[in-house]
Amino acid sequence: MEAGVRPLPKMNYVAPSSLKEALHLLKKYKGKARVLAGGTDLIPKLKKRMIKAEVVIDLNRIPGLSGIRMQKDGLHIGALTRLAEIKESRLVREKAPVLFQAIGVMASPPIRNRGTLAGNLCTASPAADTAPPLLVLNASVRLQNTDGKRVVPLSEFFRGPQDTVRRADEMLTEVIVPVQKGRSAFLKLGRRKAFTLSVVSVAAFARVRGGKFEDLRLALGAVAPTPIRSRKVEEALQGKEANEENIARAAELVKEEVKPIGDVRASEEYRREMSSVFTRRVLAQVNGRGYNESAI
Amino acid sequence: MELEYLEEVKKLLHGKSYKVVGTDVKRVDSLEKVTGVAKYAADYLMENALRIRPVRSPYAHAIVKKIDKAAALKVPGVEAVITAEDVPGENQIGYLVDDQPILTTKARYVGDIVALVVARDERSAWEGADRVKVEYKELPAIFDPREALKSDIRIHEHSKYAAEVKIVKGNADEAFRHCDVIVEKTYRTGSQDHAYLEPEAAVAIPTGARSVNVIGTTQNPFRTRHTVARVMGWKDSEVTILTPYIGGGFGGKDTYGPLICCLATLAAMKLGKPAMIVYSRYESFAYRFKRGPFEIRYKTGATKDGKVKAIQVNHLVDAGAYATWSVGFTKRAAYHATGVYEIENVTVEGAAVYTNNLPNAAFNGFGNPQMLFAAESQMDLMAEALNMDPVEFRLKNALVPGSRTGTNQLLDHAVGIKELIQKVADQADWKGKRAQYGSEPKGTKRRGIGVGCSWHGCGTTGFKRDWAGASVIVNPDGSVSYSTGIVEIGQGTTTSHAMMVAEVLGIPFEGVKVDVNNTGTMPDSGETHAQRGTIIGGTAAVDAALKLRKRMNRLVAEMWECSEDDVAFENGETYNLKSPKQRIGFQDLAWEMYMKGVPPAEYGFIKARRGFPDPETGQGDPYAAYTFGCTIAEVEVDLETGQVSVLRLIPGVAAGKIIQPAVAKGQVYGCGMLGLGYATTERVLRKEGRMLNPSYTDYLIPTIKDMPEMADLVVVEDEYKFSGFGAKGVGEIAFIATPLAIANALKQALGIRFYDMPLDMEKVYFAIREKKRNGSRS
Amino acid sequence: MKVQFKLNGRAVTEEVEPYETLLDFLRERLQVISVKKGCDEGDCGACTILLNGKPVRSCLLLAVQMREKDEVTTVEGLSKPGERSVIQEAFLEKYGFQCGFCTPGMILTTKALLDAKPKPTVEEIKDQFEGNLCRCTGYQQIIESVLRAAELKAGRS
C-alpha cells in the first residue's frame, strides 16, 4: 500500500456534549473509536493509515474540560486546554515555569492553538516535550471511564512508544501539577532552531540549600521507549554539593540510564552522548547559576 | 544574439538614464498573489475532472511480468487502469537521452510508475491503486556508482554511463611538475530536495480528438509540449501547455514538468474527459528527482608566488535510474571546475553512472554547488599551504576581462569577479573578523569566517538549443500586450521583461500587461532554468520591443519629416528632440499605426551567443556569459553538540545590470537560506533506494528562526553587451556560493575541514570527538 | 452531515461527509483556493486559516468540527472588492512573496499577530512565524512586510 498521506478513511463522527456522554461512547465503541481533541496527531496518522478508527469522538464540544485552576494539591489543567492557552497562562508561568518553557519551544503557534496537553501525553511519543517537565514536577493524570476515576502518577503512565496505561474506554480528563518551590529548567536539542522534534530533551527541578542539591529531579525525553526520570542521577546528586564536578560526574551516569534508538533524526550513540551534555547543561541551570539560556 | 543590445538600447534612449529598469516596481504577479486569486495547477478544479493515482514499483530493479487490473476496475468509481501498452505514441520521455519510459515495464527505481489508475474521485483512485496486482521479477539492484562501474548488472542496455565529459586545456601533467605546492583531496556532496511548497500537479483537458490543453507544474512549457506530443504520437501543435503560477521550481519542475503533464494527458485522452493528478507531499519527496550526489577527486598545483598553474579533476556522479539531466550537470560541473580563476592547465574527466537510485536531475546550481565545494575548499587549502590570506589568494588568481576559462572561452567583458571579491571582503570586514575569530579564547563555542566564490554560466548546458521568443503587441488604445515563453516560478522574471519593454517603448511600466504562457502563441523559448530567463528570454523581449520601436520611430519621422534618430519616447509621449513642441501621445501614435497599416506587433527571437564545446577537449564557449558570486559567511559551532549556526551572510553578485533591485535582493536572500539548508540541516536519507525521511518533519528546511543576519547585498554591475540592458542572470549564483563559504568558515572555527556535505551536527560532533581523542590541538 | 459556520463574514451551510478536512471542504466545495495544500499533515503552514482570529492548520480540522458561531477567515476575507487591506499593501510594497504559494498563510498569520501585538519586534515576528515554511524568500522580506504592515496599520507612513 502506498505510504504517505491520502484522503481520510470513511469514518463516523460523533460530537458528545457532555463528559458522561463521551465516556459512554468510549465504552460502547472501545477499540474502534478514537477521541479527537487537537487533532494535530490523530488526523495525520489517520491519513497515513497508521491509526485505524471507525468512529471519531470529537471532544471539543464538551464544556468544562479545559481550563487551568489552582487548587490545594496544585494546578489542575483540563484535558482540552490548548497548549497555546497553557503557554499564555500567568498561573502556569508562575507556578510551573518549566512547563511554560517547554511549550514555548514545542511545535509552532498554529499547532499549539489546537493541540492539547492531554493529547500530547496520550499520544505518548517518547519525545513528547511536555513529559519531561511534568515528570520533574511529579505530575499525575486523572483517567476516567463510566465506572469511575483514578489518578495515576505520570511516572507510571507511559508504558512504551505510543503506549500508556490508559484503557481503551478511559479518557484522560485532567493533569494535576503540584506546585513547589525550587528552580527548574527545560532544554531540547533539535536539528534546526524551531518547529522540530527533539533529538534529546531534558528537564530538571531542584532546591538548592546551602549549596547542596535538595530534592533533585531529572527527566529526559527522546532517549528511551518512554520519557524517563533518571533515578541514578537523582540519587547520585541528592544532598551533594551543586558544583560543576558533581554535575559532570552525574552527567556521565545518565548514559547508563538512557536507552536511545537510532532513527532518521539521530544515531543511538549521538543521543547517548547528547543526553549527557544536556543533563550537564540543565543541571547547571538549576544549581543556582545560569538561568536565562534559550531552551533550544 | 549577435546584436550588441546594450548599445542599441542606449542609443535609442539617447543615453538618458532609465526610467523603469533598475527601479522597484509592483511585480506583475503581485496583486494576484497577495489577494489569493493567483491560481496554481491544483487550483484549476473542475467538477467533472477525473483523478489519477500512479501504481509504483516497490522494487528498485524489477521486471514487470504481469499487471492484473481486474480487482481495481471493480472498485466503484474507477474508470480505467492504464499501462505501458496503452501509451498511444512513443513510450519515451527521456530528457537528453532516450532512456526513460513514461509507464515502464522494467522498474529501475523504487517508485518507477508501472500503471495509472483513473477514477471519478480521489478516494476511489487510491483504492483502485491499492488493488492493482502487479507481478514483478525482482532483479539485483545497485545503489552505489562505484559499484555500478564494476558490476555486471545492467540497468540500461545501451551503457553504464548516463553522461561523460572531458576537458583538456594546456598540459596539466607537465605543469604539476613545475608546481611548488600541490594539494589533492576527494570531496563528496549529498543529495538535496527542492522541498518547494507546491507539490507537483497537472490537469489535462481534451479539446478535440487530437488536441489537449494541459495546465501543469512545469518550468519548460515547450519541452513539456513536445514530450506530451511524443507520448501521444501527435505533433507539437496539437498540444497546448498553459502554464499557471508555479509554487516554486528550483529546477525540480524542470525535469518533472513533462512527466507530470504526460500522466495527466494519458488519462484525459484515454477517457475523453479532463483529468487531474496532484502529488502528495510524500510522493513529492519520495519520488521526485533531486540533486545528484558527486564524488570529486581534485588536484591543484601552484607556484610559490601564489599563481595556480594546474588542476586535475575527476568527478563521478550518481545519475540514478534515468539520465534525465545528468548530461547537463555533469558537463556544467566540468566547465566550471576551475572556479572563478584563470588557470592555464586544466584536465577534467567526469562521468555520470546509472544506479537504481531515484534519478538525479536539475536543482539550483546544477553541478556547481558540488564542484565548487571542491574547488573553493581547494583554494582555501592552497592558501593555507602557501601561507596566504584566502581572499588575497583568490584575488591573485581571479578571472579578469581578457581571461580565458577552463574551456578556453575568452571573457572579454562582463567579468566583475575581482571587484566583487574585494567589495564583499570590505563589506564583511574580512581582515578584521578573520584575525578576531582566529585568536578568540577557546570556549565551547567557536566562531569562524570563510569565503566562497561562485560562477554560473547563463544558458542551457549540454546541447545546442538555447533560444527564446517573445511577443509585443501595441493595442489600438495604446496598451501593450506582452507574451513570453519564460515561466514565472517566483523569480519575477516576467516582470523584468515587462520593464524592459516599457523602457524601450518609453511608456510607464503599468502600460505593459504580461499574458499567460501559452505555447500556442509563442515560438519555442527553451526552459526556464540556468539563469537564462532574463539574459536570453529578456533579450528576446528587447529584440521585439526594439524592432517595434524602430518601426514607430520611422512612422513618426515620416509624420514630422525629421530624422528617426531625433525621435524620443518618454513617459508615454513621443517628441522631436530637435523641436520638443512636436509631440504625440503613445495612445494616439498607436491609433495612427493601425490607421496607416503599420504592423503594431512584433516577435523577438534570440539564439544564445555561444557554441558547443568540442566533445574530446571540452574547449569552446558553452555559455553566453557568466554571472559571478561571492559570499562571506560567519559561523559559530557548538563543540559539545556539533551544531553549526550561521551567524551572518555577506552576499555579493556580479550579474550585469540589475533590472529589479528589490527582487534581486529577494533572490539572494532565498538563495542564502537554500545554501544554509544544503550546508547544514538538509539530508536525503536513503536505504536501498528508498527515501527514509520523505516529509517536512524529517527533511528539515530552514525556518524563519534559522535565519542568519543578512548583510546588504553587494552588487557589481558588470554589464553584458549582448543582452537587453546588459543583464545577466541572478537566480542561482548566490545559492552556490553559500555552502562553500560556510564550509570554509567552519574550518576556521573548528580547525577541522570537512570533505563532504552536508555539515550536519552529528557528523561535526563525531569529527570533533575524534580529533580530541587523537590528541591534536587546533 | 450538515455544517454551518461563518466564512469571511458570510454564513455557510453545506452538506459534508464527516471525513472531509476543512481544507478540502474550503477548496473543493467552496472553491476557496487561496488556502493551499502544501503537505496535508500540518508541517508547512500553506493551509493556514484564522479560526476565530487564531491561525490554525485547516488540514488538521474536520469540516464538521465547525460550529455556527465559528468564524473562519481566509485571505479573500481581508479586503473588500477593489480595496486591499494594509497587510496586503505591505506585502506588495516590501516584496513579501516570490512564488506566492506560502503567501496566503503568511498574510493571515500577520493579521493574527498584529491584532494581538500591534507593534511586534523582529523576535516576536519570528516566534509567530516559526511554523510557516517558505522556500523562496529566505524570510527576510516577509519580516520587512510584517513590520511595514504594522506601520501602515498604526497610521504612520
Side-chain angles (χ1 to χ4, degrees):
Chain A
M1 199 183 82
E2 175 67 29
V5 156
R6 55 166 75 196
L8 283 166
K10 293 190 172 165
M11 27 182 223
N12 289 314
Y13 167 93
V14 279
S17 44
S18 73
L19 178 57
K20 192 163 156 200
E21 205 187 323
L23 293 175
H24 271 108
L25 285 165
L26 261 179
K27 180 170 183 183
K28 177 173 166 196
Y29 291 112
K30 265 206 220 139
K32 298 201 199 134
R34 288 281 174 159
V35 294
L36 171 64
T40 59
D41 189 78
L42 179 69
I43 304 283
K45 284 195 173 139
L46 283 172
K47 287 182 188 175
K48 291 188 258 202
R49 303 302 189 265
M50 288 165 71
I51 289 183
K52 284 193 164 66
E54 283 176 31
V55 185
V56 161
I57 302 172
D58 183 356
L59 303 178
N60 291 288
R61 298 191 191 204
I62 301 173
L65 271 189
S66 82
I68 304 163
R69 283 168 288 271
M70 187 68 199
Q71 282 174 28
K72 261 192 305 215
D73 56 350
L75 279 176
H76 284 239
I77 303 177
L80 231 24
T81 313
R82 309 285 175 198
L83 293 167
E85 197 186 322
I86 300 174
K87 179 170 177 285
E88 294 305 305
S89 154
R90 229 186 76 208
L91 260 180
V92 171
R93 192 184 250 190
E94 286 174 13
K95 310 288 183 190
V98 65
L99 180 61
F100 159 78
Q101 233 190 330
I103 293 178
V105 291
M106 209 180 135
S108 64
I111 302 284
R112 302 197 291 252
N113 281 337
R114 293 299 297 178
T116 61
L117 186 56
N120 192 238
L121 295 174
C122 290
T123 300
S125 158
D129 283 336
T130 59
L134 290 172
L135 282 171
V136 300
L137 294 176
N138 283 335
S140 17
V141 296
R142 190 187 308 282
L143 299 169
Q144 270 181 261
N145 61 6
T146 47
D147 296 329
K149 332 176 179 188
R150 58 183 180 128
V151 175
V152 175
L154 193 63
S155 52
E156 293 167 31
F157 181 67
F158 301 109
R159 273 206 302 228
Q162 284 85 43
D163 188 22
T164 68
V165 302
R166 181 187 67 85
R167 285 172 235 150
D169 68 340
E170 278 181 314
M171 214 176 97
L172 193 158
T173 53
E174 209 174 35
V175 179
I176 303 153
V177 187
V179 173
Q180 43 225 292
K181 275 201 157 25
R183 288 185 195 276
S184 58
F186 173 84
L187 294 171
K188 82 186 246 183
L189 172 65
R191 279 197 161 268
R192 66 180 173 196
K193 297 221 173 95
F195 189 29
T196 189
L197 295 169
S198 294
V199 167
V200 165
S201 64
V202 290
F205 172 91
R207 270 190 294 272
V208 176
R209 192 116 40 112
K212 301 209 174 121
F213 275 125
E214 221 183 67
D215 205 4
L216 169 75
R217 297 168 222 157
L218 177 75
L220 298 106
V223 291
T226 68
I228 55 166
R229 283 272 294 269
S230 176
R231 308 286 177 184
K232 281 203 176 126
V233 171
E234 291 173 4
E235 277 160 26
L237 284 176
Q238 181 63 23
K240 298 275 190 342
E241 287 282 328
N243 61 27
E244 239 179 86
E245 219 186 298
N246 286 337
I247 287 174
R249 213 174 301 135
E252 272 305 299
L253 268 180
V254 87
K255 289 197 221 183
E256 294 166 28
E257 239 179 326
V258 297
K259 287 192 205 52
I261 56 163
D263 63 12
V264 294
R265 270 151 239 142
S267 69
E268 186 192 319
E269 199 184 346
Y270 185 70
R271 280 202 165 98
R272 199 179 295 276
E273 297 291 308
M274 290 304 108
S275 61
S276 175
V277 170
F278 276 76
T279 295
R280 189 168 29 80
R281 289 183 179 186
V282 79
L283 289 175
Q285 288 204 3
V286 300
N287 78 343
R289 288 192 291 121
Y291 197 88
N292 286 321
E293 281 182 44
S294 82
I296 183 172
Chain B
M1 210 174 182
E2 290 309 314
L3 213 52
E4 286 193 24
Y5 283 94
L6 180 57
E7 196 49 49
E8 286 293 311
V9 161
K10 284 193 172 143
K11 246 192 333 196
L12 188 73
L13 301 179
H14 301 102
K16 296 199 182 159
S17 58
Y18 305 139
K19 303 268 184 314
V20 181
V21 165
T23 68
D24 289 325
V25 302
K26 288 223 161 97
R27 283 171 56 150
V28 300
D29 51 348
S30 31
L31 214 48
E32 292 184 304
K33 285 179 176 170
V34 302
T35 54
V37 309
K39 275 173 108 156
Y40 301 78
D43 296 330
Y44 285 87
L45 295 158
M46 273 163 258
E47 256 193 74
N48 63 334
L50 299 165
R51 300 293 176 113
I52 304 166
R53 273 281 100 218
V55 176
R56 298 176 183 276
S57 165
Y59 301 109
H61 202 194
I63 295 184
V64 176
K65 290 183 68 191
K66 194 168 123 186
I67 301 183
D68 185 351
K69 313 178 184 185
L73 288 168
K74 283 207 190 75
V75 172
V78 170
E79 297 207 1
V81 177
I82 303 173
T83 59
E85 61 222 2
D86 298 312
V87 174
E90 250 189 281
N91 191 358
Q92 182 58 248
I93 59 166
Y95 207 103
L96 290 179
V97 176
D98 277 353
D99 65 354
Q100 189 177 4
I102 176 71
L103 292 176
T104 193
T105 52
K106 181 185 180 203
R108 295 180 178 86
Y109 67 94
V110 174
D112 212 346
I113 301 176
V114 306
L116 290 179
V117 172
V118 190
R120 263 180 262 137
D121 61 272
E122 212 45 59
R123 206 172 255 104
S124 313
W126 278 94
E127 218 190 304
D130 287 342
R131 295 201 204 283
V132 172
K133 287 205 240 324
V134 186
E135 210 182 296
Y136 293 95
K137 173 161 182 272
E138 216 185 327
L139 301 169
I142 294 261
F143 302 108
D144 179 275
R146 286 223 169 272
E147 252 188 74
L149 283 173
K150 291 185 272 179
S151 163
D152 286 328
I153 295 173
R154 288 302 243 201
I155 299 171
H156 290 277
E157 285 315 307
H158 66 275
S159 176
K160 280 180 187 266
Y161 292 94
E164 291 178 275
V165 65
K166 210 153 96 177
I167 309 225
V168 180
K169 178 190 177 194
N171 188 338
D173 280 337
E174 180 61 34
F176 279 123
R177 277 194 265 278
H178 303 284
C179 286
D180 300 309
V181 176
I182 294 180
V183 172
E184 186 173 4
K185 297 279 182 200
T186 301
Y187 298 85
R188 287 184 181 81
T189 58
S191 183
Q192 187 185 15
D193 191 292
H194 310 75
Y196 33 60
L197 271 283
E198 180 205 21
E200 294 72 16
V203 55
I205 305 144
T207 50
R210 266 183 84 94
S211 68
V212 69
N213 284 351
V214 189
I215 298 169
T217 53
T218 176
Q219 289 179 231
N220 51 35
F222 301 94
R223 174 179 289 279
T224 299
R225 173 181 70 174
H226 181 70
T227 311
V228 170
R230 198 177 179 190
V231 160
M232 295 308 296
W234 297 350
K235 304 198 234 341
D236 283 3
S237 52
E238 291 165 321
V239 175
T240 305
I241 308 294
L242 301 163
T243 314
Y245 282 115
I246 305 286
F250 312 108
K253 291 165 179 164
D254 178 353
T255 333
Y256 222 82
L259 197 157
I260 196 100
C261 289
C262 282
L263 295 178
T265 307
L266 280 170
M269 293 316 296
K270 174 106 180 153
L271 293 161
K273 285 189 238 174
M276 176 184 264
I277 179 165
V278 181
Y279 269 19
S280 68
R281 178 52 54 184
Y282 177 94
E283 274 181 297
S284 191
F285 268 121
Y287 306 127
R288 188 235 317 116
F289 314 146
K290 306 185 204 313
R291 186 182 298 291
F294 274 49
E295 187 187 287
I296 304 160
R297 185 139 195 89
Y298 202 117
K299 179 176 173 185
T300 315
T303 43
K304 57 177 180 273
D305 62 346
K307 281 299 250 182
V308 175
K309 284 293 176 7
I311 61 165
Q312 183 184 303
V313 180
N314 287 78
H315 56 291
L316 182 64
V317 180
D318 179 355
Y322 298 107
T324 68
W325 251 131
S326 313
V327 172
F329 59 73
T330 305
K331 287 190 170 175
R332 184 180 273 278
Y335 300 147
H336 292 75
T338 57
V340 301
Y341 314 104
E342 179 154 31
I343 302 174
E344 283 161 13
N345 302 285
V346 175
T347 304
V348 182
E349 268 186 55
V353 180
Y354 288 117
T355 65
N356 290 113
N357 286 318
L358 192 63
N360 290 306
F363 194 164
N364 192 321
F366 203 65
N368 272 347
Q370 299 95 315
M371 179 59 78
L372 295 180
F373 167 58
E376 284 294 284
S377 300
Q378 288 286 107
M379 287 305 276
D380 257 30
L381 283 165
M382 295 296 289
E384 271 170 44
L386 289 162
N387 209 9
M388 283 181 76
D389 171 85
V391 166
E392 285 309 310
F393 181 59
R394 285 169 169 79
L395 286 170
K396 208 174 177 73
N397 289 281
L399 293 160
V400 294
S403 289
R404 285 192 177 269
T405 67
T407 64
N408 219 8
Q409 178 171 0
L410 176 66
L411 302 178
D412 59 3
H413 76 288
V415 188
I417 181 64
K418 200 162 173 184
E419 192 189 335
L420 183 65
I421 297 173
Q422 190 62 71
K423 280 202 159 126
V424 173
D426 290 341
Q427 172 91 303
D429 183 23
W430 169 262
K431 286 210 168 66
K433 289 261 167 83
R434 187 85 177 163
Q436 180 192 343
Y437 294 153
S439 59
E440 272 184 335
K442 312 285 185 200
T444 57
K445 293 203 170 150
R446 308 250 180 104
R447 293 189 291 182
I449 187 170
V451 64
C453 296
S454 58
W455 63 323
H456 199 75
C458 305
T460 307
T461 307
F463 60 149
K464 297 179 187 167
R465 300 165 44 141
D466 199 358
W467 52 62
S471 136
V472 177
I473 303 172
V474 176
N475 298 310
D477 69 346
S479 65
V480 175
S481 298
Y482 173 72
S483 298
T484 170
I486 298 299
V487 173
E488 173 56 65
I489 52 173
Q491 84 290 45
T493 303
T494 56
T495 300
S496 293
H497 291 197
M499 288 167 79
M500 292 192 278
V501 169
E503 191 76 58
V504 169
L505 296 179
I507 55 176
F509 169 69
E510 291 73 26
V512 180
K513 167 78 160 52
V514 179
D515 280 323
V516 169
N517 285 103
N518 179 333
T519 56
T521 60
M522 183 61 46
D524 187 323
S525 299
E527 290 82 0
T528 299
H529 68 192
Q531 292 188 155
R532 67 190 295 276
T534 305
I535 185 177
I536 296 166
T539 303
V542 171
D543 185 55
L546 270 176
K547 287 187 229 170
L548 196 50
R549 175 60 205 272
K550 290 193 177 145
R551 193 150 60 233
M552 292 170 97
N553 271 22
R554 223 171 307 145
L555 172 62
V556 173
E558 270 170 33
M559 277 163 52
W560 294 343
E561 288 172 359
C562 65
S563 158
E564 278 174 48
D565 295 333
D566 290 335
V567 178
F569 281 59
E570 252 174 71
N571 289 320
E573 279 211 315
T574 304
Y575 64 95
N576 184 342
L577 271 173
K578 292 254 164 68
S579 151
K581 284 221 172 77
Q582 265 185 313
R583 307 193 148 245
I584 181 169
F586 192 85
Q587 255 172 286
D588 296 324
L589 184 56
W591 188 252
E592 279 301 305
M593 289 182 85
Y594 280 87
M595 289 297 279
K596 295 212 157 77
V598 174
E602 193 57 69
Y603 270 111
F605 192 79
I606 294 295
K607 187 151 182 287
R609 191 165 184 270
R610 47 160 276 210
F612 191 60
D614 183 282
E616 280 309 303
T617 63
Q619 305 292 280
D621 303 351
Y623 305 98
Y626 296 82
T627 298
F628 299 93
C630 177
T631 294
I632 286 177
E634 291 181 46
V635 307
E636 182 179 76
V637 56
D638 183 334
L639 294 178
E640 294 183 324
T641 63
Q643 283 168 298
V644 176
S645 278
V646 180
L647 301 174
R648 191 164 184 246
L649 287 176
I650 302 98
V653 299
K657 175 78 188 155
I658 302 288
I659 308 293
Q660 295 182 80
V663 170
K665 243 197 277 182
Q667 285 282 287
V668 170
Y669 293 147
C671 278
M673 289 296 264
L674 200 62
L676 189 156
Y678 183 51
T680 58
T681 61
E682 294 179 39
R683 305 179 300 162
V684 174
L685 299 168
R686 287 197 176 123
K687 186 171 179 198
E688 282 166 10
R690 216 164 264 108
M691 185 172 178
L692 299 173
N693 56 335
S695 71
Y696 276 126
T697 308
D698 289 318
Y699 184 85
L700 296 170
I701 72 173
T703 65
I704 198 170
K705 285 203 160 153
D706 294 288
M707 277 173 75
E709 187 198 317
M710 290 296 275
D712 278 335
L713 175 62
V714 174
V715 170
V716 167
E717 286 191 321
D718 52 348
E719 293 173 343
Y720 178 61
K721 286 197 283 208
F722 300 96
S723 73
F725 295 88
K728 296 192 278 185
V730 84
E732 297 175 61
I733 197 68
F735 160 63
I736 301 166
T738 307
L740 324 179
I742 293 173
N744 284 338
L746 186 59
K747 168 62 166 55
Q748 191 195 27
L750 210 46
I752 301 174
R753 180 168 291 279
F754 289 88
Y755 298 94
D756 58 350
M757 278 282 192
L759 312 163
D760 85 281
M761 60 192 200
E762 262 203 59
K763 182 189 294 180
V764 174
Y765 171 76
F766 284 117
I768 294 170
R769 195 178 74 169
E770 170 99 15
K771 186 174 175 204
K772 238 198 304 193
R773 286 182 180 174
N774 294 340
S776 38
R777 267 175 283 133
S778 66
Chain C
M1 298 189 75
K2 195 170 83 153
V3 71
Q4 249 181 299
F5 63 95
K6 289 203 200 63
L7 173 64
N8 296 324
R10 281 153 121 238
V12 158
T13 308
E14 288 283 330
E15 279 292 319
V16 292
E17 299 292 355
Y19 40 83
E20 257 179 78
T21 61
L22 182 60
L23 172 61
D24 284 337
F25 173 77
L26 289 171
R27 285 180 57 80
E28 310 225 356
R29 281 202 203 260
L30 303 183
Q31 276 80 57
V32 179
I33 52 129
S34 72
V35 191
K36 304 295 185 203
K37 187 178 288 192
C39 71
D40 211 13
E41 45 184 322
D43 282 339
C44 73
C47 72
T48 301
I49 54 148
L50 297 183
L51 177 59
N52 301 320
K54 296 217 189 313
V56 295
R57 314 286 216 210
S58 64
C59 70
L60 299 181
L61 286 166
L62 301 175
V64 291
Q65 286 183 267
M66 297 298 101
R67 284 175 279 190
E68 218 180 310
K69 58 183 176 63
D70 281 325
E71 292 197 29
V72 172
T73 311
T74 67
V75 161
E76 287 87 343
L78 284 191
S79 46
K80 305 182 195 70
E83 209 185 281
R84 285 183 297 281
S85 70
V86 295
I87 297 174
Q88 288 162 314
E89 278 302 336
F91 272 75
L92 277 181
E93 210 185 291
K94 291 292 183 182
Y95 298 87
F97 67 91
Q98 285 183 29
C99 83
F101 202 77
C102 75
T103 308
M106 297 292 182
I107 289 177
L108 290 171
T109 305
T110 306
K111 171 154 172 56
L113 174 64
L114 295 183
D115 284 348
K117 289 199 174 89
K119 281 167 63 169
T121 62
V122 171
E123 273 318 300
E124 285 170 333
I125 295 173
K126 288 186 181 183
D127 279 340
Q128 182 73 38
F129 281 80
E130 65 186 6
N132 289 64
L133 297 180
C134 174
R135 195 54 157 163
C136 297
T137 67
Y139 306 104
Q140 179 70 32
Q141 286 164 324
I142 292 177
I143 294 177
E144 288 170 16
S145 301
V146 177
L147 290 169
R148 180 62 179 151
E151 268 176 18
L152 291 174
K153 200 166 176 217
R156 274 172 280 144
S157 262

